[in-house]
Amino acid sequence: MPPVSNSPAKRVRRGRLFVCAAPSGAGKTSLVRALLDADPSLKFSISCTTRPRRTKEVDGHDYHFISREEFERMVDAGEFLEYAQVFDNYYGTPRRQAEESLAKGQDLMLEIDWQGARQVRKAMPECVTIFILPPSRAALEERLRNRGTDSDEVIARRLRDAVADMKHWKDFDYVIVNDTFEHALRDLKAIAAGKGAALRSSRPELKAITAALLA
């Protein structure tokens, strides 16, 4: 008979939860995807949404695309860690999915809006929150137009809403200015690696940038 081990079971490290938010057009999705490609230790938390699927999106990979009725049922049942209404559509993070992954030691990345980030901070204060800003309003408008998916009216509304979103940058632990993709990705990698001290939202140089964005 093999000897019985009296050593305690190895404790699994709880995963880290990263929450990334940004105004529409700031480049959040592209940056998060590039980070996930470069860091296999991170897993993307797939959100539910009621918005229509875009041409290149895959159900269950980019989002769980569900009906408004199903989304509202999940809200009533308390099945979301966070949820919000953005541009006439709902977005939400399934609570069970996130809790199970973190308990297994899996690091998670949530790509959500500032409203959702506020809810996650309340539910999981240990989360690491990141906000991505464009370098200027002109750059933001150019990026929105280059998508080629929205009318002038929709772009104007997105720009107005972006200003409202950017007012919440101080609520986040870290802020990245997406002036160039390579620079912003390097900053995001540093934060994920626990080396983002120079990117804290309290750094003085952000005052002039945010003042111009919000003017």
Side-chain angles (χ1 to χ4, degrees), residues 14-90:
R14 181 172 172 82
R16 296 173 299 165
L17 180 62
F18 296 93
V19 179
C20 189
S24 179
K28 167 173 56 75
T29 297
S30 296
L31 285 169
V32 167
R33 286 178 178 173
L35 174 65
L36 293 169
D37 287 343
D39 187 352
S41 69
L42 267 175
K43 179 181 178 183
F44 181 63
S45 179
I46 303 172
S47 298
C48 296
T49 184
T50 60
R51 78 157 170 77
R53 182 176 63 86
R54 293 172 182 160
T55 304
K56 295 182 180 180
E57 291 178 326
V58 178
D59 185 29
H61 176 74
D62 297 288
Y63 286 98
H64 297 296
F65 294 96
I66 63 176
S67 68
R68 193 178 190 93
E69 291 74 20
E70 174 63 9
F71 196 102
E72 290 173 348
R73 183 202 65 76
M74 293 175 71
V75 169
D76 292 340
E79 295 180 17
F80 286 117
L81 176 63
E82 59 79 28
Y83 70 94
Q85 183 173 359
V86 184
F87 301 128
D88 303 323
N89 293 298
Y90 284 117

Side-chain angles (χ1 to χ4, degrees), residues 181-197:
F181 186 83
E182 293 76 15
H183 187 186
L185 180 58
R186 186 179 69 224
D187 288 346
L188 189 57
K189 286 179 178 179
I191 295 170
K195 301 176 181 178

Side-chain angles (χ1 to χ4, degrees), residues 142-151 155:
E142 181 180 1
R143 291 171 185 175
L144 288 171
R145 292 192 181 281
N146 286 342
R147 287 178 174 178
T149 58
D150 297 321
S151 65
I155 289 173

